[in-house]
Amino acid sequence: MIEVIVAAAADIEPLIELESALFREDAAQHDPYADATWPRRAGRQDFEDLIASPAGVVLAARREGVHVGLLAGYATNASPTRRPVTYAVLRTMYVA
């Protein structure tokens, strides 16, 4: 059975592993300018910021205690050149 939880600090290392897999499987294969080392270098701070942000959400999917997926995003306001709306950004999503 898959369990989906709101991620916490204890989930960050497995989330970095999943994000690294995503970069290897997707960005590194399809974008010659993508930096596949980014999750290892900056992923911790990025996930810490998203988890701490009242506008952010990080979900982790676990099967039998093992992290098998993630979804992260945040709400933000439109730029000053757009109508004043709040919208959601899907930052990352991956299922192993």
Side-chain angles (χ1 to χ4, degrees):
M1 182 171 140
I2 301 288
E3 171 190 30
V4 177
I5 62 164
V6 175
D11 299 298
I12 291 177
E13 277 304 315
L15 295 175
I16 292 170
E17 290 298 323
L18 291 168
E19 184 92 328
S20 294
L22 171 63
F23 271 63
R24 281 191 308 274
E25 293 175 22
D26 187 34
Q29 299 298 315
H30 304 289
D31 183 351
Y33 301 105
D35 180 358
T37 68
W38 183 88
R40 286 263 164 242
R41 288 185 302 98
R44 171 168 294 285
Q45 186 64 56
D46 190 56
F47 283 122
E48 287 174 352
D49 292 346
L50 282 168
I51 288 169
S53 171
V57 63
V58 181
L59 303 176
R62 298 189 298 200
R63 180 186 302 127
E64 298 176 7
V66 176
H67 288 73
V68 295
L70 73 99
L71 181 142
Y74 56 92
T76 190
N77 294 320
S79 75
T81 63
R82 304 282 182 215
R83 293 178 188 225
V85 298
T86 300
Y87 62 95
V89 175
L90 176 60
R91 215 284 275 132
T92 190
M93 178 177 63
Y94 180 74
V95 177

